[in-house]
Amino acid sequence: MMFDKKTKIICTISDLRCDVNFLTKLYESGMNIVRINSAHATVEGAQKIVDNVRAVSDKIGILVDTKGPEVRLTAMENPEGFEVRQGDWLEIHNGPDKLSRHPVLYTSYGNFVSDVPVGSHVLIDDGAVDLFITGKDNDKLLCEVQNDGVIKGKKSVNVPNVHIALPALTEKDRKFVKWAVDADIDFIAHSFVRGKEDLMEVQELLDSYDSHLKIISKIENQQGIDNLDEILSHTYAVMVARGDLGVEIPAEKIPLIQKYIIQRCRSRKKPVIIATQMLHTMIENPRPTRAEVTDVANAIFQSTDAIMLSGETASGKYPVEAVATMSRIAKEAEKSINISLDLNLEMVSKPIAAVLAKELVAATQALPVKAIIFDTWTGRTGRYLSEFRPKVPIYAMCYNDFTMRELAMAYDIYCYKFPIQKSKEAFVSNAIRLLVENGRICAGDLVAFIGGSFNDELGATYLEFKYV
């Protein structure tokens, strides 16, 4: 809470650089959530990150990515790979246990050849090399190289608009999910979500451990976009993962897709994250480009809840500066965000709570309210309040540690761990005392409360206004 920006910042952290002093600097500069990329981490390295994050603050959320249904080239006989020229011919064979070499490539998926039809484009290394499939013969794909480049082992393989029949979770993913449950982290960001079935497989695994972890769906292909509404019914939040999305879909379509996904998430009252290359030049340079500044600001103008840094904080030369820069951009952009009172009751699970949240935010336009305060077990009322984008800060009094960290993803919510109160009157007086002590409100301020009975399925059921 060192920075009173409303948009939350997610920072990717490597176990090679995760000491407490470093994480403290990031937190003080505006970091709200730490991301661990399981594709580049071991369980031991990930646990080191968690331990150090918890030493900094119990309010920082922690997110771990799964690899999901991803295809990669196998390792290469020559680690340097090999050059290809436009017009060259290559072959792709099945054989996840074999080494790739010129002119034969193998992938991590054993049925790749049968799943990919003639006429497809196979994109290697985030689209750096484009292979056009001209024929299929004796369990091999015949490929014409479309551009000059270098092909190296273990690089990503994308086949736009083609369904690859991979399972939702790899064995490594299952291992990391079990670790995440044991480590009591907060979010599983599932990669390459294609539809609700992928999420149900992850949720079944979490349920088998009786876990509170929440699923974030990474939208990275056309199937994810096409099935967005059913995905939103089975996910806590959505991440617009523009890296792979930009490989699967023409780049000029990405801005409109980003806007569309944010709008759908807002209508469903689900948090949304914009990710990939937001301040990419700050990996090597102390200042961002003007285009990057505008990119970050546009995501906020479109009403994203969170923005994410990847290489900038995982391995870049200017990680603290990148977070501070993103925080400054956010604070400026947020000045233009207006209250939005759109509400479709068919889209929310607790309509009474949603209506009360809307009316409370509307009331802040007519009354000099300085703060909105609520207590919560699940964070749901806070997410409703946040999606209406009030001009005043929202303070969550959280009865669970994990709820406090889950709300680290929601726009304009500031969380406190709070003991269970004996009565509504005790809650009101003790919440006010805490916020006064923290300098968040002052004597004479008008504050608004929203709450309800936690043993009732209705959620929030009352509004109250009080002068401090």
Side-chain angles (χ1 to χ4, degrees), residues 163 168 190 192-201 217 219 221 223-228 230-232 234:
H163 177 74
H190 191 47
F192 300 100
V193 172
R194 299 163 294 190
K196 64 181 180 182
E197 292 80 12
D198 289 348
L199 298 173
M200 291 165 69
E201 190 171 331
S217 297
I219 304 300
N221 51 38
Q223 284 176 283
I225 298 165
D226 293 342
N227 296 322
L228 183 61
E230 72 172 37
I231 287 169
L232 285 168
H234 292 82

Side-chain angles (χ1 to χ4, degrees), residues 11 15 36 54 66 75 87 167 169 190 199 204 229-230 233 271 287 291 300 305 318 326 366 373 379 412:
C11 297
D15 62 332
I36 301 169
R54 293 284 179 258
T66 60
L169 288 165
H190 191 47
L199 298 173
E204 283 175 13
D229 280 325
E230 72 172 37
S233 297
R287 291 167 62 87
I300 295 167
D305 289 88
Y318 301 97
M326 193 169 255
I373 305 167
D412 196 24

Side-chain angles (χ1 to χ4, degrees), residues 47-58:
Q47 186 63 53
K48 177 182 172 185
I49 295 171
V50 171
D51 292 343
N52 290 353
V53 169
R54 293 284 179 258
V56 173
S57 172
D58 60 358

Side-chain angles (χ1 to χ4, degrees), residues 262 266 272 300 302-306 337-340 361 383-392 394 410-412:
I262 291 175
R266 291 292 308 282
V272 58
I300 295 167
Q302 292 171 0
S303 288
T304 189
D305 289 88
I337 301 298
N338 294 317
I339 289 174
S340 170
V361 173
R383 294 194 297 276
Y384 289 164
L385 288 165
S386 169
E387 289 301 331
F388 295 120
R389 295 299 192 261
K391 290 287 189 178
V392 299
I394 307 165
Y411 183 90
D412 196 24

Side-chain angles (χ1 to χ4, degrees), residues 10-29:
I10 301 170
C11 297
T12 306
I13 300 298
S14 162
D15 62 332
L16 301 176
R17 181 169 61 179
C18 67
D19 60 90
V20 170
N21 182 52
F22 172 65
L23 294 171
T24 300
K25 289 179 181 177
L26 295 181
Y27 180 53
E28 292 175 347
S29 298

Side-chain angles (χ1 to χ4, degrees), residues 70-86:
E70 176 187 53
V71 180
R72 288 185 174 270
L73 293 179
T74 62
M76 196 80 71
E77 282 186 356
N78 177 6
E80 299 301 315
F82 58 85
E83 290 189 13
V84 291
R85 300 287 182 190
Q86 182 179 359

Side-chain angles (χ1 to χ4, degrees), residues 398-448:
C398 302
Y399 298 127
N400 292 317
D401 286 331
F402 63 81
T403 302
M404 179 171 64
R405 295 195 294 266
E406 287 168 9
L407 288 173
M409 189 171 291
Y411 183 90
D412 196 24
I413 295 183
Y414 308 92
C415 298
Y416 294 88
K417 181 70 187 298
F418 203 66
I420 297 172
Q421 304 295 297
K422 294 180 179 178
S423 65
K424 184 177 78 171
E425 292 71 23
F427 163 66
V428 169
S429 61
N430 288 327
I432 287 175
R433 183 182 303 114
L434 174 62
L435 293 174
V436 169
E437 289 173 354
N438 276 262
R440 315 306 290 187
I441 55 177
C442 304
D445 284 349
L446 179 65
V447 295

